[in-house]
Amino acid sequence: MPKINTFPLGGIHIAKEKLTALSPIMDAGVPEYVYIPIKQHIGSPAKILVNKGDKVKIGTLLADADGICSADIHSSVAGEVVAIEPTEGADGYYENMITIKTAPDEYEPDIDTRTEIIRDIPEREVIIHKILHSGIVGLGGAGFPTPIKINIPQNKKVKCLIINGIECEPYLTADERLMAEKAEEIIIGAKILNKALGIQNAIIALDQNKPEVIEIMEKISKVYVGVNVKICATKYPQGGEKQLIKAITGKEVPSGKLPMDVGCIVQNAATAFAVYEAVQKNKPLYERIITISGDECRHPANYRVRIGTPAEYLIEKSGGISPQVTQIIYGGPMMGASIVNIKAPVNKLIGGILLLSDQKAQKLPMGNCIRCGKCADSCPMGLQPYLIGKFVQNNLIEATKSCYAMDCIECGCCAYVCPSSIPLLDYCKIAKAELKRKN
Amino acid sequence: MSELIYTNIFVLDGVALTAAVILYFVSKKFKSKSNPKVEQIEQCLPQVNCGACGKVGCHDFATACSKSTEEEFSKLYCPVGGLTVMNKIATLLGYEEQNKKEKRIAVLRCNGSCENAPAQKIYDGIFSCQIAATVSSSPNGCPDGCLHLGDCVRACPFQAIQIDEKTSLPVINPDKCTACGVCVRTCPRQLFEIRPINKKGEQVYVACRNRQKGAIARKNCKVACIGCQKCSTINSTIKVKDNLSYIPTTLSAEKYGKELSEICPTKAIVYRKITNIKEDADA
């Protein structure tokens, strides 16, 4: 029995509900129109390069990274640009999107569409150039542009690359299926990242509840030098960057610092796959795996989806909306957001679309804090969410700074365990947003 | 046994007595000299610590008054207490009385009532505008409109704001409103603005904050500003920026109000006459 790693502080055990763990990835196809947002990452929106009426192919550069913290946006379909205007997003706010009317698939000439695995890794300069121009961002959900992450400053030293294969959110199985089906590609992706970082070893962190993936990964990783598989406990939020580093290396990322300060880089498994595709197949990031699930979803499945596909199209494909559906969630049930507009497109950061019934998505009326301390017990960062909540309620945003509200990872454990159903996560989010705005 | 009790009493009394003597001399020696005027001024002030004057609270304002020269004093003003309070302070300090200021109240720059902007979605989350604004745009689809959840009602220190049952919009009671500006800071959509009322009780303002293009704004709300620029033809000080018109506070409501409200095709410009305002003593 291998050693099982976990983080020591807080965390909760929640129902896994992995309905689609065994359903293979299917191609979602191409909708009639795709809407590609020009901001799908942290940082400044990309600069639009195309005009209305332009013909585009799959992989055509639509918008160029503007500034240091930004990412390229590529076309996910072949067709014609019909509009570039603010369009209603998932949360009802309008954002700039490029609308493309689709035509039969046509790829940019240098994209390699063959299925065989390419194992020869090119030179470091080539890797960095290709990652920079393929619009890769962290696919775990935060959307931090990968080129910045692998560009290590001179005074810092990275010793360890962790490939995050832990999908601790309930329902979501996109990464799990990807790892089961494209295990070797992910490991090659990890080796490519290794070369870009100038280090030799990579750790693939896996969840205890994925026996199939563990078996495949352990078998393949024996062939590649420096790749190790480590198994972590099934606990939420084991997949959080800081929790994972603590579990694997035993080091704690100091408050306000980055993982590279303790010599670690964490990349999502899907990001490693995107890196493989970008470097070995010249394929920019224009599609991702999305789980459609939920207790009211008629046909839960994992789809390979073009970026910009409206959620409506995917929901229609998996059986439509039944009358019992009361909430549709983008992302996982713990960290995702309830959406108001099902015509909104999926972007690079969405790992799942969930259709939940009233029973699952119910909200109880908010009560008073009974000072049970459950939120503080469950917080994986060791914060005191009730205190942050009280400060925000009384509009004392400055005071939340001394509670280290900025260290909140927005995992939602506090709100989940609260017996009075106080929206502690919302308060933490407000505190973070206000503190960021003031600085 | 009784011996023990006596010893205890003697020891404890002794300690208490010594401490009292020490404390007495210490308090004499290190007595802080507080300005008696600050206390007097503070008693005149409304004591709600709203921060409308720009100071931290009433005590801070009183300190600022007591330290000010005559010229500095003319710039200080307590909008809550009004001229009555300022005159009292002026006599205390021996300065000249301040001039009468225009009555100002907060106005809500949104008219997205249940009728004008019907709800298309249901929000069943926490009853707080601040949270609702981070989660989604608005049940009626307007990303800049009123969320009807009443953060302003709870924030107002004078109970001047109430949610109207019919329109579900907050209504400001002009009698109670002191233009302290707490609602301006509270509203996550910045819908409130402090605007003057002229002598006849007239006001004119654009009751909309939507910056979307006209067609999109109109789809969700009947009374949205569509940025048609018609109002700017009447007076050149009215500027239309980002599909949204803004009427400066200095524009005379008496002169242009009626004309503006008539020319606006969506009736986003509100011209109203507040009659029977309970004027404070400074009228």
Side-chain angles (χ1 to χ4, degrees):
Chain A
M1 189 74 191
K3 194 186 153 217
I4 291 161
N5 306 284
T6 190
F7 57 99
L9 212 59
I12 50 175
H13 295 278
I14 39 179
K16 288 286 138 195
E17 313 266 6
K18 305 268 189 192
L19 309 174
T20 49
L22 297 173
S23 36
I25 297 167
M26 292 188 285
D27 204 41
V30 184
E32 198 180 342
Y33 287 95
V34 294
Y35 307 88
I36 300 177
I38 59 159
K39 188 175 186 298
Q40 306 184 23
H41 46 263
I42 290 177
S44 46
K47 210 162 55 210
I48 299 171
L49 296 177
V50 288
N51 293 313
K52 198 177 156 182
D54 283 3
K55 291 266 189 290
V56 291
K57 291 176 189 167
I58 294 176
T60 308
L61 188 65
L62 293 179
D64 194 13
D66 192 14
I68 302 161
C69 190
S70 188
D72 290 354
I73 307 284
H74 297 85
S75 175
S76 59
V77 291
E80 189 189 340
V81 177
V82 289
I84 302 167
E85 60 186 11
T87 312
E88 197 177 358
D91 53 6
Y93 289 108
Y94 281 68
E95 48 188 316
N96 271 329
M97 291 191 203
I98 299 168
T99 310
I100 301 172
K101 190 176 191 306
T102 53
D105 279 359
E106 195 183 331
Y107 292 86
E108 281 283 326
D110 51 349
I111 294 176
D112 183 358
T113 50
R114 291 170 301 163
T115 48
E116 68 230 46
I117 298 170
I118 300 166
R119 294 186 177 80
D120 298 328
I121 297 172
E123 287 305 307
R124 185 166 180 266
E125 282 70 37
V126 180
I127 295 172
I128 288 178
H129 177 83
K130 280 186 177 173
I131 292 177
L132 187 62
H133 291 97
S134 51
I136 298 178
V137 298
L139 295 174
F144 194 72
T146 307
I148 309 172
K149 216 168 175 177
I150 59 166
N151 187 13
I152 309 291
Q154 288 285 320
N155 53 354
K156 295 206 177 123
K157 224 177 159 188
V158 171
K159 289 178 211 132
C160 175
L161 169 74
I162 301 172
I163 301 294
N164 185 353
I166 292 165
E167 215 167 23
C168 53
E169 283 258 18
Y171 291 109
L172 303 191
T173 56
D175 288 356
E176 185 177 347
R177 282 318 302 173
L178 187 71
M179 284 188 289
E181 290 176 26
K182 309 274 182 194
E184 187 156 9
E185 284 93 328
I186 289 171
I187 290 178
I188 296 168
K191 289 309 287 178
I192 293 168
L193 284 169
N194 258 353
K195 199 162 186 181
L197 295 167
I199 53 174
Q200 295 302 323
N201 65 327
I203 294 167
I204 296 175
L206 291 172
D207 217 352
Q208 210 183 349
N209 70 343
K210 299 183 177 70
E212 189 198 357
V213 181
I214 293 171
E215 200 183 305
I216 298 169
M217 279 291 182
E218 272 181 344
K219 209 171 95 192
I220 297 173
S221 65
K222 280 186 188 122
V223 186
Y224 290 87
V225 182
V227 179
N228 290 308
V229 174
K230 283 211 175 173
I231 297 160
C232 297
T234 309
K235 188 166 148 193
Y236 182 83
Q238 184 67 70
E241 201 177 39
K242 284 163 189 170
Q243 280 65 39
L244 193 57
I245 292 171
K246 179 77 190 165
I248 300 276
T249 66
K251 286 176 192 159
E252 200 157 302
V253 183
S255 168
K257 293 278 170 65
L258 292 170
M260 67 172 76
D261 291 307
V262 292
C264 289
I265 291 276
V266 181
Q267 290 286 6
N268 191 275
T271 316
F273 182 67
V275 166
Y276 165 84
E277 296 251 280
V279 174
Q280 306 292 63
K281 306 259 181 184
N282 293 320
K283 224 164 133 182
L285 183 59
Y286 62 77
E287 58 185 13
R288 71 159 296 155
I289 316 297
I290 288 176
T291 305
I292 316 269
S293 187
D295 62 337
E296 280 305 327
C297 182
R298 289 203 176 109
H299 307 295
N302 299 304
Y303 287 114
R304 184 180 299 105
V305 179
R306 309 285 177 95
I307 304 295
T309 305
E312 201 181 16
Y313 174 83
L314 296 170
I315 293 167
E316 216 48 61
K317 244 188 144 44
S318 50
I321 300 176
S322 70
Q324 282 82 31
V325 176
T326 52
Q327 253 187 43
I328 299 172
I329 290 174
Y330 264 17
M334 295 297 287
M335 289 185 71
S338 173
I339 64 165
V340 295
N341 174 24
I342 61 164
K343 289 195 175 72
V346 298
N347 59 26
K348 291 174 186 174
L349 314 179
I350 291 159
I353 297 172
L354 305 179
L355 308 172
L356 298 180
S357 69
D358 203 20
Q359 200 192 345
K360 291 274 176 198
Q362 68 172 333
K363 275 207 182 94
L364 299 168
M366 176 177 150
N368 288 326
C369 177
I370 56 168
R371 293 170 200 272
C372 60
K374 274 191 177 176
C375 51
D377 277 348
S378 69
C379 181
M381 297 303 290
L383 308 179
Q384 296 181 323
Y386 69 94
L387 210 54
I388 298 173
K390 270 273 174 276
F391 280 136
V392 174
Q393 270 177 352
N394 292 305
N395 229 337
L396 299 164
I397 301 293
E398 276 301 311
T400 60
K401 212 175 188 175
S402 56
C403 303
Y404 298 96
M406 284 313 279
D407 284 340
C408 172
I409 57 164
E410 301 179 17
C411 63
C413 289
C414 47
Y416 181 84
V417 296
C418 182
S420 293
S421 352
I422 300 170
L424 293 165
L425 173 61
D426 294 284
Y427 290 134
C428 291
K429 278 184 182 169
I430 290 174
K432 278 178 81 174
E434 290 286 307
L435 287 176
K436 241 181 230 165
R437 199 169 55 86
K438 275 179 187 165
N439 295 337
Chain B
M1 187 65 196
S2 63
E3 213 172 274
L4 195 69
I5 293 171
Y6 286 128
T7 350
N8 270 346
I9 288 172
F10 272 121
V11 169
L12 289 176
D13 282 1
V15 168
L17 205 69
T18 342
V21 170
I22 293 169
L23 279 175
Y24 175 76
F25 283 107
V26 167
S27 70
K28 276 267 161 180
K29 172 103 182 149
F30 296 103
K31 193 181 179 184
S32 70
K33 281 172 202 139
S34 71
N35 195 341
K37 264 186 188 162
V38 174
E39 226 165 86
Q40 284 173 1
I41 295 168
E42 229 182 317
Q43 273 165 14
C44 303
L45 291 170
Q47 299 289 0
V48 276
N49 295 320
C50 60
C53 49
K55 304 288 173 209
V56 179
C58 288
H59 180 77
D60 199 32
F61 183 73
T63 323
C65 281
S66 66
K67 280 181 189 162
S68 65
T69 60
E70 182 137 23
E71 199 190 6
E72 279 165 7
F73 180 71
S74 64
K75 281 172 195 161
L76 291 165
Y77 186 70
C78 171
V80 178
L83 220 55
T84 354
V85 164
M86 288 318 289
N87 288 346
K88 267 191 208 166
I89 298 170
T91 35
L92 264 174
L93 294 167
Y95 292 152
E96 216 172 275
E97 290 187 357
Q98 286 187 345
N99 295 327
K100 188 181 184 302
K101 294 231 162 105
E102 228 172 359
K103 164 97 179 161
R104 301 191 305 159
I105 61 163
V107 296
L108 179 75
R109 289 180 288 175
C110 175
N111 223 343
S113 60
C114 300
E115 200 180 305
N116 290 331
Q120 299 152 12
K121 293 137 197 165
I122 302 164
Y123 172 77
D124 68 343
I126 302 305
F127 214 75
S128 151
C129 302
Q130 212 181 9
I131 291 175
T134 58
V135 174
S136 70
S137 56
S138 170
N140 56 32
C142 176
D144 298 297
C146 180
L147 291 154
H148 312 307
L149 296 172
D151 272 11
C152 45
V153 177
R154 288 184 286 276
C156 181
F158 302 97
Q159 287 87 44
I161 306 175
Q162 230 138 41
I163 296 275
D164 189 295
E165 276 175 26
K166 239 184 210 165
T167 60
S168 78
L169 284 171
V171 180
I172 298 135
N173 185 338
D175 293 341
K176 287 184 180 170
C177 181
T178 58
C180 69
V182 169
C183 50
V184 178
R185 292 194 292 275
T186 305
C187 182
R189 299 255 158 104
Q190 287 90 44
L191 291 176
F192 289 96
E193 194 195 4
I194 306 290
R195 289 186 79 95
I197 303 182
N198 70 6
K199 280 178 198 125
K200 288 182 180 171
E202 288 170 317
Q203 256 185 329
V204 62
Y205 59 94
V206 181
C208 185
R209 290 273 291 161
N210 191 309
R211 290 193 186 79
Q212 290 168 323
K213 274 187 184 166
I216 304 171
R218 254 327 263 289
K219 207 171 71 186
N220 295 325
C221 181
K222 275 187 217 161
V223 290
C225 173
I226 53 172
C228 64
Q229 316 242 356
K230 268 189 179 167
C231 44
S232 59
T233 58
I234 290 180
N235 190 307
S236 58
T237 55
I238 300 172
K239 290 275 181 299
V240 178
K241 201 182 158 196
D242 297 338
N243 305 312
L244 179 65
S245 160
Y246 177 76
I247 299 175
T249 47
T250 48
L251 194 85
S252 160
E254 193 181 354
K255 206 168 165 191
Y256 298 106
K258 202 155 182 238
E259 203 181 347
L260 281 170
S261 71
E262 272 166 11
I263 205 168
C264 182
T266 58
K267 303 277 169 261
I269 295 177
V270 171
Y271 166 66
R272 63 173 183 183
K273 214 168 184 177
I274 305 165
T275 45
N276 307 324
I277 309 177
K278 196 180 81 203
E279 291 276 347
D280 330 325
D282 50 277

